[in-house]
Amino acid sequence: MAAATIYFYIPKQVTILDLAGVLEVFQEAKNLGLLYTLKFISSNPVITSSSGLELSSVTHFSKAHPKENDIIVISGFSSGQINKITEDIVFFEWLEKANSLQTTIASICNGAFILAKSGLLDFKECTTHWKLIEKFKKDFPLLKVQSNTLYTKADNLYTSAGIVTGIDLALFLIEERHGKEVAVTIARELVVYKRRQGSDQQESVYLQNRNHRDEKIHIVQDWIIYNLEKTSTIDFLADLVHIGPRNLTRIFKKKTGVTIAEYRTKLRIEKSKSLLIHSDYKIENIAHLCGYKTSKQLRVVLETHLHELPTEIKNRLS
């Protein structure tokens, strides 16, 4: 692919990780020999980050001339600045010109508010951090806001949910341009545990149903997470935490909002999805790793969630 420039637009009160996560993905791409030039632009010559670190020697955006093959990344910023976006009509005209050239434009976290203010996201699917979804909808009613998704693509416009999801989006952009193998190589170099799909939920399934302080229930949840391939009875789990089976069943549902069986199924679905996307294991092996005796059992469970599955998984199941 032809050489490309990545323009990192740095707003006031930028969140360092929003900038650095995406930056490292493309720096690793450069280290692999891909022809990327990294440039930093802003509306201001000096920017104070949300953590107090000052960034200087930044080029004014008006001196940048993005082309079709280039990428503009709009970083996120302190949420306290949401109602104080200072970008003006000159910046938005510059962004519109880049858009007319089909330059790829991507926002990280609440950087989507800047992109939305430009009008480029009107009538397009987009997302932002889950805490800001309702405000995003209210402030920009013409948007097709997607809740609980990691990132979106609408033609040449991309948005991501927040901070670490910027890395997921950057890897997705690499995959689109250079293929999955290159994206996986970069993910491994960054020690990213697994590459997530845009359709994945913003809150990890491993963190869900854990908003409680019952240590015994946390112990049971941890055991299930790390032993999904094993069969366990309620009696066995109850013995782990020295309470009666009926009492465990009652307390688990009260504290987590789901039954033990429902919780285990959620985890098995998540693990099977990850293995189906990121491994070459046969479906029979994946079923066993997820605690199912046969691939048919796994297929039955996944088919009840077919509408939520990425095309890549549907293809493997067909």
Side-chain angles (χ1 to χ4, degrees):
M1 191 170 186
T5 298
I6 315 297
Y7 294 97
F8 293 91
Y9 180 77
I10 307 175
K12 288 183 177 180
Q13 290 289 301
V14 63
T15 303
I16 292 296
L17 189 53
D18 280 353
L19 171 63
V22 181
L23 172 60
E24 283 303 313
V25 170
F26 285 103
Q27 181 59 52
E28 287 299 333
K30 284 186 63 178
N31 294 344
L32 288 177
L34 301 181
L35 301 177
Y36 284 115
T37 299
L38 311 181
K39 294 188 176 182
F40 305 95
I41 59 176
S42 183
S43 299
N44 306 280
V46 178
I47 302 98
T48 301
S49 72
S50 61
S51 56
L53 178 66
E54 282 197 350
L55 306 175
S56 58
S57 302
V58 181
T59 302
H60 194 271
F61 69 82
S62 62
K63 296 181 180 180
H65 305 286
K67 300 180 178 61
E68 181 179 356
N69 197 43
D70 296 336
I71 301 175
I72 299 170
V73 178
I74 302 176
S75 298
F77 49 92
S78 169
S79 58
Q81 299 293 309
I82 286 289
N83 296 319
K84 304 175 185 177
I85 293 175
T86 58
E87 281 70 20
D88 58 20
I89 187 64
V90 178
F91 172 73
F92 294 136
E93 288 175 346
W94 176 85
L95 206 58
E96 172 60 41
K97 181 178 180 181
N99 182 62
S100 68
L101 296 173
Q102 288 298 294
T103 302
T104 294
I105 304 174
S107 65
I108 311 302
C109 194
N110 59 16
F113 278 75
I114 295 176
L115 190 52
K117 194 170 181 180
S118 74
L120 296 181
L121 289 180
D122 288 356
F123 309 108
K124 291 183 171 60
E125 290 188 356
C126 54
T127 194
T128 190
H129 192 283
W130 63 270
K131 282 188 176 180
L132 298 170
I133 287 290
E134 293 307 316
K135 178 173 177 57
F136 201 39
K137 292 178 180 178
K138 181 180 178 181
D139 289 1
F140 305 101
L142 297 182
L143 309 186
K144 296 181 179 179
V145 179
Q146 305 297 298
S147 303
N148 207 17
T149 190
L150 296 186
Y151 54 82
T152 65
K153 174 184 178 180
D155 300 321
N156 60 306
L157 301 175
Y158 300 73
T159 61
S160 63
I163 305 182
V164 181
T165 60
I167 296 176
D168 297 307
L169 175 55
L171 289 169
F172 178 65
L173 290 170
I174 290 289
E175 181 176 325
E176 282 192 321
R177 292 172 174 234
H178 307 285
K180 178 176 287 189
E181 185 175 350
V182 174
V184 169
T185 299
I186 293 173
R188 286 174 177 165
E189 190 66 29
L190 295 173
V191 199
V192 176
Y193 172 65
K194 79 179 185 74
R195 291 187 50 245
R196 299 180 294 180
Q197 306 298 300
S199 57
D200 285 353
Q201 296 183 346
Q202 290 190 26
E203 182 182 46
S204 168
V205 68
Y206 299 103
L207 298 179
Q208 293 172 18
N209 308 108
R210 303 200 64 149
N211 189 25
H212 62 84
R213 297 182 179 181
D214 192 306
E215 187 61 29
K216 290 186 176 182
I217 300 303
H218 281 306
I219 290 172
V220 172
Q221 290 178 290
D222 287 340
W223 191 94
I224 293 172
I225 288 173
Y226 293 110
N227 297 276
L228 281 177
E229 76 284 2
K230 298 178 181 179
T231 300
S232 59
T233 63
I234 296 296
D235 287 342
F236 173 82
L237 295 174
D239 285 342
L240 284 178
V241 289
H242 309 293
I243 58 178
R246 291 181 62 184
N247 205 22
L248 172 62
T249 301
R250 179 184 61 80
I251 296 173
F252 193 98
K253 178 66 182 293
K254 179 180 178 181
K255 297 295 183 179
T256 68
V258 294
T259 66
I260 292 175
E262 290 169 340
Y263 183 68
R264 181 187 283 116
T265 297
K266 286 176 64 175
L267 295 170
R268 285 175 168 170
I269 290 173
E270 176 67 15
K271 184 173 182 178
S272 65
K273 285 167 60 179
S274 179
L275 290 171
L276 284 165
I277 292 174
H278 303 295
S279 80
D280 295 323
Y281 294 156
K282 293 181 179 180
I283 295 181
E284 289 77 9
N285 292 342
I286 292 174
H288 293 151
L289 290 171
C290 295
Y292 296 107
K293 293 181 179 179
T294 66
S295 60
K296 182 178 180 180
Q297 288 180 317
L298 175 59
R299 288 177 183 274
V300 169
V301 172
L302 289 177
E303 284 173 1
T304 62
H305 298 80
L306 200 60
H307 66 287
E308 303 171 3
L309 300 178
T311 302
E312 193 170 356
I313 291 181
K314 292 179 182 178
N315 290 340
R316 289 201 65 180
L317 294 176
S318 61

